[in-house]
Amino acid sequence: MKRSIQQTFSVPFKYTVHFSENVFKKENPLFAEVIGQHQQSKVYFVVDNGVVAKHPDLLNEIRAYAQAHKACLVLCADPLVVPGGEEVKNTKKYVDQILEACNANGIDRHSFIVAIGGGAVLDMAGFASAIAHRGIRHIRIPTTVLAQNDSGIGVKNSINVYGKKNFLGTFAPPFAVINDNTFLPTLEDRDWRSGISEAVKVALIKDASFFQWMEASVEGLREREIPPMEELIYRCAKMHMDHISGGDPFEMGSSRPLDFGHWAAHKLEQLTDYRLRHGEAVAIGIALDATYSYLKKMISYSALHRIISLFQQLGFVVHIPELSQKHLLSDGLEEFREHLGGELTIMLLSDIGKGVEVHQMDTDLILLAAEHLRDFEEGKFELNT
Ligand SMILES: NC(=O)c1ccc[n+]([C@@H]2O[C@H](COP(=O)([O-])OP(=O)(O)OC[C@H]3O[C@@H](n4cnc5c(N)ncnc54)[C@H](O)[C@@H]3O)[C@@H](O)[C@H]2O)c1
Ligand SMILES: [Zn+2]
């Protein structure tokens, strides 16, 4: 007898991205409010060592905060300090350390794992939180621009395995996110700048007025002023959040608009042994796909010029020698297709503020785009095409 039982259900996900400052000053009630006031919850902190180095009082502040708010939270173990940057994702070691701490300290599905750090630490800790007991409540406190406006506010986590970026990971919405702008002044210039490329990305595919705002605010952003950076982070985060809820949050399809510029970026990060920051690689990837869009006659030269100039005024490099290797580009496209898990789908531009998806790219034209980027990098802007 042929039988079947149909199953359908939907589970709504809801989380808030809070914007605050000095989150662990005792007088700031936000963190305790996010944890919830009803009972004392176990909390386990995982902290980026790059943040600890620049904020040496942070761990003591966390301990004092827990003491002051002990009605709702208790530290079930001392914070785990892990290396910042891609190193923390290139091994399973730190995931194991978190899982062991969950086991040793009875961290359960009603406890909280709180990660403080850059996108790499958040990705690693988010992955460990998602798999222990099939998912422990996870709060993210992103400390870089990229993590506050992009990687830390979404639903993905991962580590790198088999030399492949983000090969192992899950979709797991966080319990909450807290963006604290007091972490931003200690960022190295590269990390301050790096996350701006994700804002350029969302502006280019969806919001021409945001792009114009960045052009007008370029000096303040370059000079590391906090108010324009706060505005950039808020607008970019809002667009990412809207996109996640309005589109395909768990990326079931092959279309991945927010991965504009990312196919080449992923390959460049891997090829340079992560010498390039994610956002730096994304800036080059966007510049490449924008130049390709121009060569395909999809955008005007003046639009391309505005895009490249904005990156250059912000201090980004738009070409590195690895970009001009033919096999790199075809491998990069194939790996990206594998990553999408279906048909190759690449976002290009039909205007500033308008993304368009295509399903194939011409390798010779990509190489030509890379050559143009080398010229742009040398300050030569006349194109002979
Ligand atoms: N999950 C996602 O959806 C998603 C999206 C985009 C990117 N990512 C991932 O994010 C990672 C990159 O994150 P990132 O750009 O935030 O950089 P990062 O995490 O690599 O950190 C860069 C450096 O900054 C240091 N640092 C962090 N905060 C600091 C602070 N406030 N002051 C001083 N130093 C500080 C870190 O220790 C590290 O050395 C990549 O692994 C990328 O794959 C994930
Ligand atoms: Zn990105």
Side-chain angles (χ1 to χ4, degrees):
M1 197 202 311
K2 231 174 121 191
R3 300 206 286 189
S4 63
I5 300 176
Q6 283 279 332
Q7 174 72 288
T8 310
F9 58 81
S10 54
V11 180
F13 288 99
K14 192 175 168 189
Y15 62 92
T16 304
V17 177
H18 302 269
F19 294 81
S20 187
E21 47 194 39
N22 294 308
V23 164
F24 294 109
K25 289 275 181 271
K26 282 183 252 177
E27 314 71 63
N28 187 340
L30 178 66
F31 183 74
E33 286 167 4
V34 168
I35 294 281
Q37 310 282 357
H38 314 302
Q39 63 185 66
Q40 194 190 53
S41 301
K42 282 186 187 175
V43 181
Y44 182 60
F45 279 85
V46 180
V47 191
D48 185 316
N49 73 357
V51 178
V52 175
K54 295 287 169 55
H55 300 263
D57 297 333
L58 178 63
L59 299 181
N60 279 334
E61 278 176 13
I62 290 172
R63 292 182 191 110
Y65 191 92
Q67 191 57 34
H69 296 271
K70 62 179 178 226
C72 55
L73 64 119
V74 60
L75 299 188
C76 60
D78 219 32
L80 174 69
V81 178
V82 296
E86 209 61 28
E87 178 190 349
V88 83
K89 284 175 68 173
N90 281 335
T91 163
K92 293 180 181 149
K93 178 173 149 188
Y94 302 105
V95 171
D96 282 341
Q97 285 184 3
I98 296 174
L99 298 180
E100 278 157 23
C102 290
N103 181 39
N105 299 293
I107 295 171
D108 62 23
R109 291 172 51 84
H110 291 265
S111 310
F112 292 86
I113 296 180
V114 182
I116 305 178
V121 168
L122 301 185
D123 268 5
M124 182 284 294
F127 178 56
S129 308
I131 58 173
H133 293 297
R134 301 194 180 103
I136 290 174
R137 293 172 176 176
H138 178 48
I139 296 177
R140 302 201 199 115
I141 304 188
T143 58
T144 64
V145 171
L146 182 115
Q148 292 197 357
N149 70 10
D150 177 310
S151 70
I153 59 163
V155 296
K156 297 189 273 183
N157 58 60
S158 64
I159 58 172
N160 309 327
V161 183
Y162 310 126
K164 289 185 181 165
K165 179 119 176 120
N166 303 330
F167 185 86
L168 201 56
T170 72
F171 290 95
F175 185 85
V177 180
I178 304 176
N179 276 345
D180 180 341
N181 67 17
T182 42
F183 286 112
L184 302 177
T186 58
L187 287 169
E188 277 183 26
D189 275 347
R190 288 180 71 184
D191 294 306
W192 171 274
R193 182 185 307 119
S194 172
I196 299 176
S197 61
E198 300 283 4
V200 177
K201 172 193 79 180
V202 286
L204 280 175
I205 59 174
K206 278 177 182 264
D207 186 347
S209 69
F210 187 27
F211 188 86
Q212 279 159 12
W213 177 87
M214 278 188 274
E215 290 181 306
S217 311
V218 71
E219 214 170 291
L221 290 168
R222 198 180 48 223
E223 298 303 320
R224 299 191 57 145
E225 291 170 10
I226 292 289
M229 186 53 104
E230 270 183 329
E231 179 66 10
L232 176 137
I233 288 173
Y234 181 86
R235 285 179 80 160
C236 182
K238 176 82 173 73
M239 287 177 72
H240 266 94
M241 297 281 282
D242 289 347
H243 180 82
I244 290 167
S245 57
D248 177 17
F250 296 154
E251 298 176 357
M252 303 294 193
S254 297
S255 161
R256 205 76 68 76
L258 292 185
D259 272 355
F260 173 50
H262 279 54
W263 71 269
H266 286 170
K267 193 69 200 166
L268 286 173
E269 283 181 273
Q270 185 196 331
L271 267 184
T272 57
D273 243 344
Y274 300 97
R275 175 170 53 76
L276 279 186
R277 299 277 201 260
H278 177 72
E280 292 170 340
V282 168
I284 298 173
I286 292 173
L288 184 72
D289 286 350
T291 310
Y292 183 93
S293 302
Y294 164 74
L295 292 173
K296 278 279 186 193
K297 306 195 183 342
M298 295 165 65
I299 60 170
S300 66
Y301 181 69
S302 85
L304 175 64
H305 192 272
R306 281 174 66 193
I307 297 167
I308 303 295
S309 301
L310 179 63
F311 278 130
Q312 292 187 328
Q313 288 176 62
L314 288 165
F316 283 103
V317 161
V318 294
H319 180 271
I320 58 169
E322 284 83 349
L323 196 60
S324 300
Q325 296 172 13
K326 188 166 184 165
H327 70 275
L328 162 141
L329 298 167
S330 38
D331 286 2
L333 279 175
E334 174 49 26
E335 281 170 26
F336 190 71
R337 195 202 53 73
E338 198 183 303
H339 175 74
L340 296 173
E343 189 183 13
L344 178 69
T345 305
I346 299 281
M347 181 63 96
L348 296 176
L349 297 177
S350 64
D351 200 350
I352 286 180
K354 276 210 179 80
V356 176
E357 286 181 337
V358 300
H359 298 289
Q360 67 176 59
M361 283 182 89
D362 170 345
T363 329
D364 289 335
L365 217 52
I366 301 173
L367 271 178
L368 184 59
E371 273 175 45
H372 288 320
L373 286 182
R374 194 182 44 221
D375 290 345
F376 295 156
E377 190 56 37
E378 289 167 5
K380 295 183 218 148
F381 279 93
E382 313 77 42
L383 297 182
N384 308 309
T385 53

